[in-house]
Structures are given as C-alpha cells and as structure tokens.
Amino acid sequence: MNRLMKQIRANRQLYAMLAPYYLIFFVFTLLPVLMSIVISFTNFNMLEFPKWVGLQNYARLFVTDDVFLIAMKNTFLFAAITGPISFMACFILAWLINELSPKMRAVATLIFYAPSLSGSAFVVWQLMFSNDAYGFINSFLLKYRIILEPIMWLADPKYILGIVIVVQLWLSLGTSFLAFIAGLQGIDKSLIEAGAIDGVRNRWQELWYIVLPSMRPQLLFGAVIQITASFAVAEVAIRIAGFPSVQYAAHTIVTHLMDYGSIRYEMGYASAIATVLFVMMLGTNLAVQKFLRKVGE
C-alpha cells in the first residue's frame, strides 16, 4: 500500500490529467451499470418508489417469459453467425486492401466502409424483399418463372431472421474495418524481413507469426466492437421486420428490453433484461480476448 501511494504521489500530475476522463466514465458508464443491476432486483415503474423483490424478475425471465426465451435464442443465433463472420470479413478485406496502391486502397476502403455510414439507408433492403410483386427479388423470380406468386419475405417467420442477418452483415464493415486497416499500415516492415530470415516461407506463416501478433490491440478492439454490435442488434430488426416481428421471429434481447423499458415502463424487469445481456456480452468478450491472446503462439 505504501509503495502504491508513493507511485500515486510521484505521478500525481498524470492522475490529475486523467481525472476528468475517469469522472465522466464513472458518472455516465459505470454508475448507470451499477444502478441498473441494483434496480433489477426491484419492482420499479418510475412513478412509485422501487420495491425490493429479490430474484423475482430473473425467475420471471427464465421461467414464465416465453418471449424472452425466443429473444435469447434469436440473439445467440444472430451473434454466433454475424459476430465471427463480420470479424473475419473485416480483417480479410483489410488485409487484401492493404496490398493495393495508396490511391486504390483509399477508394476500396471508402467503398467497403460506405454502408456503415449510410445510416437508415439499409431500408433499401425493404424494397428488395418487399412482399408484393414489385419487390426487386420477387420481381426477378417472377420474371424468370422461378416462382409463380410473390414470396412473403417479411411476413414469413422462416425468412425474417435470415434477412435481418444478411442486412446486419452488409452494415458490419465499420470501425473494426478501419482499425484493422490502421493496424496493418502500422506493422514494422523490418519484422517481416526478420521473419523471412528466421524461416517464414509464405504469406500464411507471415500472417500467423508476424501480422496477427503485431495487431493484437486492433484485434481485441475489433472483437469487442463486433461482438457488442452482434448482441445489441435492434434497429435493423425493427426497421426490416417490424416491432414486434411476426411470431417474434426477429425479436432480440434488446428489442425485448425496449419493449419493457420504453413502452411498458417496467424498469425493474427491463434492468434485469439489461443485466442478463451485459453478462452475456462480458463473458463472450472475455472468452474471445483470451483466445486472441494466443494468436501467433
């Protein structure tokens, strides 16, 4: 303890400069999370003082709330597909683009990053998968007599989740993609030359033993971003499939949270949903980070 206090006193100017950030982080990030966990053990409707109910909200979640179980299944399926695929797609495209000339690299980066900048422009997918004969896909299939009547893409539960997954993948080349581009640009070329001398004979060995270990910070950052995005999907599902979607086919934990938090104002129950989601995201992030630390070993 004395040694720690000496270090703090010796670096008090640095701690003073970091203090505003830590204060903002505590007030707007850590404190709301802690308050949400506490409120999850209460019955709180924002009009009356919270009443302590213990684990009642969690028992309700996992025992009596069938819609939450559907939302959990959809969220896990969504995260298991979009998380790894989007992460790998971000890295592979960044790796390929990094080999281009500077001008071509800039153009290709803009092209692949553009969907994440388009905001609500993903509603064009509603036109593509429209349920009538004027939808682009139905029109194409009818024109070539592949089908005889329009397919109800956004009204049939067996298609809805797949469509939402496709749209989310289209939007997934965002911040992680740029981080990987920056990480590849920052690799010391002398490491590659040293690797060739030490026995690295092809691009795959170079990727595993040099490139990936050199990009661990960017890989960890990208993993956090992509996993968080895959677990927190809501807007795309609502805009594409509606709220609620047919038979809750695209219902996720976040849309369930919005239902109870923003519409029903059952804040204790909504906080329990948010806490479960937080634990899921935290556990997945820790597991992925542990795996990425072994890259190149």
Side-chain angles (χ1 to χ4, degrees):
M1 180 62 69
N2 291 333
R3 183 179 179 183
L4 176 62
M5 294 305 298
K6 289 181 180 179
Q7 290 181 346
I8 293 176
R9 283 195 295 269
N11 299 288
R12 57 184 178 276
Q13 295 88 353
L14 299 178
Y15 286 107
M17 295 175 65
L18 290 172
Y21 166 78
Y22 283 117
L23 179 62
I24 293 173
F25 175 78
F26 175 79
V27 172
F28 294 103
T29 301
L30 184 59
L31 183 61
V33 170
L34 297 176
M35 290 179 62
S36 177
I37 294 174
V38 173
I39 293 174
S40 70
F41 295 101
T42 68
N43 182 10
F44 182 36
N45 59 11
M46 296 188 70
L47 297 176
E48 301 173 323
F49 191 80
K51 298 178 181 178
W52 187 264
V53 295
L55 296 174
Q56 181 177 321
N57 288 326
Y58 294 96
R60 178 183 169 190
L61 270 178
F62 293 103
V63 178
T64 63
D65 193 343
D66 294 335
V67 176
F68 174 75
L69 297 180
I70 294 174
M72 178 173 281
K73 181 199 71 173
N74 290 341
T75 301
F76 270 119
L77 183 61
F78 198 96
I81 295 174
T82 62
I85 291 178
S86 60
F87 180 82
M88 293 174 62
C90 286
F91 179 79
I92 291 173
L93 288 173
W95 188 37
L96 295 175
I97 290 173
N98 189 59
E99 302 298 319
L100 301 176
S101 63
K103 291 184 178 180
M104 289 297 296
R105 186 190 309 130
V107 173
T109 301
L110 178 61
I111 291 173
F112 285 107
Y113 185 65
S116 65
L117 295 173
S118 59
S120 61
F122 61 78
V123 295
V124 69
W125 290 86
Q126 289 180 310
L127 298 176
M128 294 182 63
F129 288 100
S130 179
N131 296 326
D132 53 33
Y134 297 100
F136 295 156
I137 294 180
N138 275 337
S139 178
F140 175 83
L141 296 176
L142 288 169
K143 179 179 179 180
Y144 291 98
R145 300 184 182 277
I146 299 174
I147 59 175
L148 299 178
E149 59 183 17
I151 298 175
M152 305 294 286
W153 297 107
L154 301 179
D156 192 330
K158 66 182 179 181
Y159 297 122
I160 292 175
L161 185 61
I163 293 172
V164 174
I165 288 174
V166 169
V167 177
Q168 184 64 30
L169 287 173
W170 178 71
L171 292 167
S172 64
L173 295 181
T175 307
S176 301
F177 175 66
L178 294 183
F180 293 158
I181 289 285
L184 289 166
Q185 288 291 299
I187 294 177
D188 190 350
K189 302 299 181 183
S190 63
L191 294 176
I192 298 176
E193 297 173 358
I197 296 173
D198 291 338
V200 174
R201 296 291 177 244
N202 54 57
R203 297 301 301 274
W204 295 110
Q205 290 182 343
E206 176 186 308
L207 175 66
W208 182 256
Y209 292 109
I210 299 175
V211 175
L212 292 179
S214 300
M215 289 183 59
R216 279 201 183 100
Q218 290 82 10
L219 292 175
L220 292 174
F221 173 78
V224 171
I225 294 295
Q226 297 304 122
I227 291 172
T228 302
S230 63
F231 273 104
V233 62
E235 183 182 4
V236 173
I238 292 172
R239 298 293 293 273
I240 295 295
F243 183 60
S245 54
V246 178
Q247 296 182 17
Y248 299 103
H251 203 61
T252 65
I253 295 178
V254 175
T255 56
H256 203 57
L257 170 62
M258 294 170 61
D259 183 13
Y260 281 91
S262 302
I263 298 176
R264 308 189 193 198
Y265 291 104
E266 296 185 26
M267 303 308 296
Y269 193 65
S271 295
I273 298 172
T275 301
V276 171
L277 179 61
F278 172 74
V279 172
M280 290 167 53
M281 294 171 65
L282 181 62
T284 305
N285 274 306
L286 291 175
V288 171
Q289 290 182 29
K290 184 177 181 180
F291 169 77
L292 290 176
R293 290 191 183 99
K294 296 181 180 180
V295 169
E297 293 182 357

